[in-house]
Each structure stands twice: as C-alpha cells, then as structure tokens.
Amino acid sequence: MLSEKIQTAINQQINEEIFSAYIYLAMAAEADRLGLPGFSNWFKLQYQEELGHADRFFNYVLERNGEVDLLPIQKPEIGGESALSLFEKALAHERHITGCISNLKDLAMSESDHATDVFLEWFVNEQVEEEANAQLVIDQLRLIDGNPNGLFMIDRELANRTISSEA
Ligand code: FEO
C-alpha cells in the first residue's frame, strides 16, 4: 500500500513524464520544420521513451494497489528554435526531471518506503543517461559552430537512433 503522500507525488511524476513526451513531440515537429529529419527522429524516439517512463510509474501505482490520478498536461513552449536551442531546452528539462526524481527519492526515504526507494533507482540511473545524451549533442553543435556541413553530419548520426528496449 502506498502512502497518500507518495501516491500523490508519483501521480504528479506520471504527469511530468507525459509532459516530457509532449515537449519532445513538439521538438520533433520543430526539427522537421528546420529540415532536420535526423533530429526529428531523435526527438520522436525520446517522446516514446518518456511515454515508457510514464508507463513505469503508472504500472507501479497499480502494482502497489494505489489509485492513478491523471492530471492535465500543459502546453509545451516550443517555437522559433535552432537545433542548439532545442537541445539546450531538452537538457534544462532533463535537469528539472532529475530534480523531481531526487525529491521523490527523498520522500520515499523519509516515509521509509523501501519498495518505492528501490523502484526509483532505475530512474536515478536513467537521468544520468538522459542528461549525458542531451549534453553530447550540445557539445557537438557547439563544436561545429553553425557550420552547415557539420549540422548535416550530426543530423545523419541522429537519424540512426533506435528505440532502447530498456526505456
Ligand atoms: Fe523521463 Fe527524460 O526523463
């Protein structure tokens, strides 16, 4: 049985993950508008990963005999972006999510909910990867410094991303 506090916090996190999916879907559309199909592919796969994260929290609430409460999803603020600004926003958002996961973990520990604490370990590790993935592309974009050939090469590389079975 989940405590009321933990159940509310996890339902909020389901919302955060679906909002993350929504942001990445908007980014996929924006990248397509910029003529960058590889970037668009990367964001579309990230959108699917985020839905997978929401699903993990959703299933966990049900497994613990809790109640799922689906909250309204806010509109993502994406528009007039460059490839670099999209990834800078992605990294800022992932840092926000890392903070949410840390707060959840603190709550699980303060409530002595060991099952939730262990469940959250996967997300702690996942956030390290999420931030590193966004940072890598930012570093590459800064290296090429707006060079169109470089941008074309990064786009081709991002087109190769496939969905991870772990996500
Ligand atoms: Fe679900 Fe990208 O954090």
Side-chain angles (χ1 to χ4, degrees), residues 3 5-6 9 102-113:
S3 74
K5 267 190 190 170
I6 295 216
S102 296
N103 291 341
L104 263 177
K105 200 136 185 343
D106 288 347
L107 182 64
M109 286 194 275
S110 72
E111 298 265 302
S112 300
D113 183 341

Side-chain angles (χ1 to χ4, degrees), residues 44-49 160-167:
K44 193 75 186 290
L45 290 178
Q46 193 60 35
Y47 151 76
Q48 287 171 14
E49 277 211 7
N160 291 329
R161 183 183 182 188
T162 52
I163 194 81
S164 143
S165 57
E166 276 295 295

Side-chain angles (χ1 to χ4, degrees), residues 17 20 24 46 49-50 53 94 97 123 126-127 130:
E17 299 292 349
S20 303
Y24 285 118
Q46 193 60 35
E49 277 211 7
E50 300 301 348
H53 295 171
E94 289 304 338
I97 295 295
F123 285 96
E126 176 70 2
Q127 282 312 117
E130 296 275 80

